[in-house]
């Protein structure tokens, strides 16, 4: 998606040579017009795929998923929670995820109320690196005996192994709006 690639080049910043910061349009401040265009692009790429619900993970996936849902007929968005809370049903699906950026394992949870057997679920997230976040969500959908109809990613770091892990989890449909082939030497290159 050219608009997104241009934004990454103009506004993205590289941290420690392996993390791309996109805080001013995706991860902190939000560019609503760009998010809307990304939602439309996901809808175009997954046209013909039956989507009953979109699943993402807090916090950065929520804006992406909500804007995308507007283009999928206002399907409900469910976001996995990262913290235990009294307001979350005790009866939840859970999966452990190793965080690439935080270098630690955390648990994601989704109440059993919000995923039903047989539902067609589209998993969306902001970044794909090693695939642990996406695979945690896929695991939760499978625990609910629902179907993952695809994974949509805003920015895929194509030089990491995330896509392979998702495919090994049995999901063949992975759509990334921008795929980075390298972020070495302070330079961003696209696949
Ligand atoms: P994975 O689980 O695929 O290794 O990493 C995906 C998660 O890590 C995303 O949800 C995202 O929050 C975070 N992440 C991984 N790489 C980057 C990066 O280069 N920049 C930012 N901003 N987040 C990243």
């Amino acid at each position: 998606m050219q608009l997104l690639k241009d934004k990454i080049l103009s506004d993205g910043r590289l941290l420690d040579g392996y993390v791309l910061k996109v805080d001013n349009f995706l991860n902190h401040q939000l560019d609503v017009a760009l998010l809307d265009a990304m939602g439309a692009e996901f809808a175009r790429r997954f046209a013909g795929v039956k989507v009953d619900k979109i699943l993402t993970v807090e916090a950065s996936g929520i804006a992406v998923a909500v804007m995308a849902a507007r283009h999928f007929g206002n399907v409900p968005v469910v976001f996995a929670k990262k913290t235990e809370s009294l307001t979350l049903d005790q009866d939840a699906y859970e999966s452990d995820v190793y965080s690439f950026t935080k270098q630690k394992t955390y648990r994601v949870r989704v109440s059993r109320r919000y995923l039903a057997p047989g539902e067609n679920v589209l998993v969306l997230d902001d970044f794909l690196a090693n695939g642990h976040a996406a695979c945690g969500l896929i695991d939760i959908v499978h625990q609910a005996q629902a179907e993952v109809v695809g994974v949509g990613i805003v920015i895929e770091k194509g030089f990491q192994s995330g896509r392979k892990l998702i495919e090994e989890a049995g999901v063949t449909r992975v759509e990334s709006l921008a795929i980075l082939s390298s972020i070495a030497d302070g330079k961003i290159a696209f696949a």
Side-chain angles (χ1 to χ4, degrees):
M1 183 183 173
Q2 197 55 47
L3 195 63
L4 173 62
K5 289 182 182 176
D6 291 345
K7 191 72 171 171
I8 293 170
L9 288 177
S10 63
D11 294 27
R13 289 182 296 129
L14 293 176
L15 271 195
D16 309 328
Y18 66 93
V19 171
L20 173 64
K21 288 280 272 186
V22 285
D23 273 13
N24 75 326
F25 65 93
L26 186 62
N27 288 150
H28 199 9
Q29 175 172 263
L30 299 170
D31 183 330
V32 175
L34 180 61
L35 283 163
D36 188 45
M38 296 189 314
E41 179 63 12
F42 279 128
R44 193 185 69 77
R45 293 191 188 201
F46 287 103
V49 176
K50 189 171 184 301
V51 175
D52 299 319
K53 200 164 265 185
I54 294 175
L55 178 66
T56 188
V57 57
E58 66 177 349
S60 295
I62 296 176
V64 174
V66 168
M67 292 299 269
R70 299 286 288 154
H71 298 272
F72 283 87
N74 293 325
V75 293
V77 171
V78 178
F79 62 90
K81 298 199 177 195
K82 288 180 178 167
T83 48
E84 231 169 341
S85 121
L86 287 176
T87 57
L88 180 67
D89 285 324
Q90 292 308 300
D91 206 10
Y93 300 111
E94 300 181 332
S95 193
D96 286 334
V97 169
Y98 179 75
S99 166
F100 171 78
T101 43
K102 298 193 178 69
Q103 312 237 312
K104 62 175 190 194
T105 298
Y106 61 94
R107 185 161 288 180
V108 289
R109 301 172 177 84
V110 174
S111 165
R112 288 176 186 247
R113 283 170 191 263
Y114 302 123
L115 282 177
E119 274 184 326
N120 296 300
V121 180
L122 176 64
V123 170
L124 294 184
D125 204 5
D126 59 341
F127 270 88
L128 175 63
N130 291 320
H132 296 125
C135 285
L137 296 177
I138 291 168
D139 177 30
I140 281 177
V141 176
H142 288 161
Q143 288 178 42
Q145 294 177 346
E147 191 78 32
V148 180
V149 294
V151 172
I153 299 291
V154 177
I155 302 172
E156 175 179 347
K157 292 155 92 183
F159 49 89
Q160 290 181 245
S161 54
R163 182 177 285 261
K164 190 164 169 276
L165 208 68
I166 292 172
E167 286 169 355
E168 283 170 3
V171 178
T172 48
R173 197 73 198 272
V174 182
E175 291 285 349
S176 301
L177 304 186
I179 303 179
L180 307 176
S181 57
S182 151
I183 50 175
D185 305 324
K187 285 209 186 80
I188 298 169
F190 295 103

